[in-house]
Amino acid sequence: MITVFGYPLRAPSPFARLVLLSALSTVLMVLDHRGHYLDGFRSATTLVIRPVYAVAGLPGEVIEAVSDFFTTSRTLRGEVTVLKDENRELKARTLRYEAVQAENERLRQRLDSAVRVSTRHMAANLIEVAGEPGARKIVVARGSRQGIYVGQPAIDAHGVLGQVTQVAADVSRITLITDPGHAIPALVNRSGLRVLVFGTGDQNTLKVAHDMLKVPYLTASADIKPGDLLVTSGMGGTFPPGYPVGVVVKIVHNPNEAFLDVHVRPAARLSHGTQAILIWPTRAPLKAPGPPVTKPAKP
Amino acid sequence: MRLSPDNRARLLLYGSFAAAILLAIMPLPSWLEDFRPDWVGLVLIYWCIAAPQRVGVGTGWLLGLILDILYGHALLGLHALTKATMAFIAMRLHLQLRMFPRWQQALAIAVLLFIGQLIVLWVRGAIGQAPKTFSYWTPAIVGLLLWPAVFAVLRNLRRRGDIR
C-alpha cells in the first residue's frame, strides 16, 4: 500500500472517476469545438485510423467480391451489349473530335494565340462528402505534398466540379460549383455571352435529384435559351477556358422582376463517382505555386 | 504457444472490445446504417455487469475516446463522456442486473443505451447539430433485440477465458 503523508492512497471510487473523466471529456469537447485546438492532434490521428478502417472494410469487400463472382452471365451479357453500343458511339465521337481538334489548332495558329490546354492532371479519391449543412464541399485524398494549391480547378469526366479551397498535407477540400458561396465565370457556348454562374446548394426549385446552378443579372434581352451549353471562359485565371459548366434547362421571365430566372443543370456528375480530377492549367496564375517539378506525383 | 490464464483472459477481453469497435465503424449499406446498434456500448455493459473488477468507468472512457478519434467528425470527448457514464450506471447496478430475468435485463440495457444516446443528443443539441429524425433512436431498440444474443456470445467467451 502506498502512503502519502501517512494516509493510505487508494484507487479512486467509480464515482470519483466518473466525475474526473467527465470533467476531462468536457474540457476536450470545449477545446475541440470552440478553439479547434485539437486540429493538429486530429490530423495526426488520421494516419493511425486509416488501417483500422481498412480492416473494418474487409468484410464488405469480401461480400462484394463474392457477389461479383456470382454475377450471372445474363447480367454480364446485358452489360457487354450496353458497353459495346457505348464504345461504338464514343469511337465515332472521338473520330470527329480528332478532326475538330486539328482544325481548332490550325485556326488558333492563324489567330496567333497560344493553345491553352491543361497538360497535367491528377486523379484524387473522395474521402468525405459532408461538411456543414447547406454547403457543398468534398474532401479528397491529395494535398500540398502532391502539389495541390488553393484555387486549383477540379473537374470530372463531364465538366467542372469546383475549386480547391483548403489544403492540408495529404487531404484537401474542394468547394463544388453548386455551393451557395461559389461563382464561376462562363460563356454561353452558342452566343458567346459572358455570364457568372452561381451555386445554389438547392435542389428543390425544380424538383430534381441534383443541385442546380443559377445565372443572375441577365435581362430579358440576353441571348440565352434553354439547351444552351455554358463553358468556362477562363476569365479570372482560376479555371482554364472551354470546360463545360452546365446546361440551361429552364428560363423563367417574370415581368415583375428586372432579371431572368435562369436554371442551369451542372454538367459534372457532382453526386456520382468517387474520384475528382485536379488539373494544373498551363498558365496558372503567377502567385499560385505550381506542382513540384523535381518530384513527379504519383498517378 | 501457451498463455497464462490471466493473459488469456485479458486477450479475450480486449479482443471482444476490438471486435465491437470494428463492428461500430464497419461500412454498411446506407439503408442498414440506421439500424446499427451501439456495439461498443453493448459489449462494455456486458463486461461491467460480468466483471466489474476488470472493466469500469476508465475502460468505458478510453473506448469512447477511441470511438471519437475513429469517427473523426464527432466532438472529441463526446463518446468518452457517454461511455464512461454508461459504464458507471452498469457497474452500480451490476448485482441487480445479474439477477434479472433475461427479458427484463434486455429492457434495462435498452434504457442504458437510451441514456447514452440522450447524452449524445444533448451535447450535439448544445452545439446546434442535433439530429431531427426519429430514426436516431432505432439503435437503442436494435440493441434491446440483440442483447440476448450478445449476452450468450460473451458469456460463452467469459466462461472459456475464465474471466472474473
Side-chain angles (χ1 to χ4, degrees):
Chain A
M1 172 92 44
I2 306 166
T3 54
V4 178
F5 302 121
Y7 293 100
L9 185 71
R10 267 176 299 166
S13 73
F15 186 70
R17 280 186 214 190
L18 180 68
V19 170
L20 195 80
L21 291 174
S22 299
L24 190 58
S25 25
T26 312
V27 170
L28 275 178
M29 281 191 273
V30 171
L31 282 179
D32 192 21
H33 184 60
R34 278 295 148 86
H36 299 278
Y37 292 110
L38 304 173
D39 286 356
F41 173 72
R42 273 182 184 275
S43 58
T45 54
T46 45
L47 281 179
V48 187
I49 67 182
R50 283 255 174 98
V52 182
Y53 270 94
V55 173
L58 277 179
E61 274 174 32
V62 168
I63 291 170
E64 206 165 297
V66 170
S67 68
D68 262 4
F69 185 76
F70 287 110
T71 314
T72 61
S73 64
R74 205 175 140 173
T75 357
L76 282 177
R77 232 173 280 151
E79 261 175 40
V80 167
T81 327
V82 172
L83 287 174
K84 267 187 185 161
D85 282 354
E86 206 179 293
N87 193 23
R88 207 172 299 136
E89 199 191 315
L90 287 174
K91 263 187 189 160
R93 263 197 232 169
T94 326
L95 284 177
R96 253 193 76 230
Y97 172 76
E98 271 166 16
V100 169
Q101 198 188 22
E103 186 187 343
N104 192 11
E105 226 145 282
R106 271 202 310 280
L107 289 171
R108 272 185 192 280
Q109 272 166 7
R110 261 188 221 165
L111 283 169
D112 205 17
S113 70
V115 188
R116 287 178 63 160
V117 236
S118 142
T119 46
R120 273 203 44 167
H121 55 269
M122 181 191 286
N125 285 326
L126 256 66
I127 311 177
E128 203 183 311
V129 193
E132 316 95 284
R136 295 289 181 266
K137 285 171 187 175
I138 55 175
V139 178
V140 295
R142 298 280 186 200
S144 53
R145 272 204 259 180
Q146 285 84 33
I148 309 296
Y149 59 90
V150 170
Q152 183 169 22
I155 59 171
D156 75 353
H158 307 274
V160 178
L161 274 182
Q163 59 176 303
V164 177
T165 44
Q166 272 180 324
V167 178
D170 283 312
V171 289
S172 43
R173 181 162 281 146
I174 296 174
T175 300
L176 298 179
I177 51 172
T178 46
D179 188 274
H182 193 270
I184 174 170
L187 285 180
V188 177
N189 203 25
R190 178 181 53 82
S191 61
L193 178 71
R194 285 191 308 274
V195 291
L196 270 178
V197 185
F198 285 75
T200 60
D202 182 15
Q203 42 186 243
N204 295 325
T205 38
L206 283 182
K207 306 266 180 242
V208 285
H210 46 76
D211 295 335
M212 296 297 284
L213 304 165
K214 63 180 178 186
V215 184
Y217 318 129
L218 285 182
T219 52
S221 60
D223 192 0
I224 187 168
K225 59 187 184 189
D228 276 349
L229 174 70
L230 304 180
V231 298
T232 51
S233 62
M235 262 170 251
T238 301
F239 292 94
Y243 284 96
V245 174
V247 177
V248 180
V249 286
K250 191 176 161 197
I251 298 178
V252 182
H253 181 207
N254 185 348
N256 293 327
E257 283 175 19
F259 300 117
L260 292 174
D261 203 3
V262 182
H263 298 273
V264 176
R265 178 169 48 81
R269 301 259 182 97
L270 293 165
S271 49
H272 293 68
T274 56
Q275 280 200 327
I277 300 164
L278 292 153
I279 52 177
W280 282 266
T282 32
R283 264 195 233 151
L286 285 173
K287 58 184 173 185
V293 186
T294 46
K295 203 178 75 181
K298 284 168 280 176
Chain B
M1 193 180 72
R2 301 282 309 167
L3 287 167
S4 73
D6 194 45
N7 279 345
R8 190 178 142 81
R10 205 167 286 158
L11 195 71
L12 284 175
L13 196 63
Y14 295 162
S16 68
F17 284 136
I21 287 173
L22 286 183
L23 280 170
I25 61 164
M26 192 169 78
L28 285 181
S30 50
W31 58 271
L32 255 177
E33 195 71 51
D34 281 343
F35 296 97
R36 186 204 296 268
D38 180 3
W39 288 110
V40 175
L42 283 170
V43 174
L44 176 71
I45 292 170
Y46 176 81
W47 289 120
C48 283
I49 298 171
Q53 279 78 29
R54 280 174 180 270
V55 176
V57 177
T59 322
W61 191 81
L62 213 62
L63 282 172
L65 197 69
I66 294 174
L67 274 184
D68 282 328
I69 292 171
L70 286 174
Y71 283 152
H73 56 83
L75 270 181
L76 204 68
L78 170 57
H79 286 94
L81 172 68
T82 313
K83 295 287 181 286
T85 314
M86 284 162 72
F88 176 73
I89 302 173
M91 269 177 79
R92 261 294 154 90
L93 303 177
H94 76 269
L95 288 176
Q96 285 98 313
L97 285 172
R98 276 188 202 168
M99 304 316 287
F100 280 165
R102 196 63 48 79
W103 63 269
Q104 207 175 332
Q105 201 179 39
L107 273 180
I109 302 307
V111 171
L112 258 175
L113 295 172
F114 187 82
I115 291 172
Q117 289 201 278
L118 202 62
I119 298 175
V120 174
L121 184 77
W122 279 338
V123 175
R124 283 174 62 178
I127 59 168
Q129 296 176 359
K132 299 215 167 53
T133 52
F134 187 72
S135 65
Y136 174 73
W137 300 105
T138 42
I141 296 158
V142 178
L144 165 76
L145 299 175
L146 276 178
W147 175 253
V150 173
F151 185 88
V153 169
L154 290 177
R155 185 178 54 182
N156 195 335
L157 199 70
R158 179 172 62 84
R159 287 184 178 159
R160 238 183 240 189
D162 200 20
I163 304 166
R164 266 160 299 181

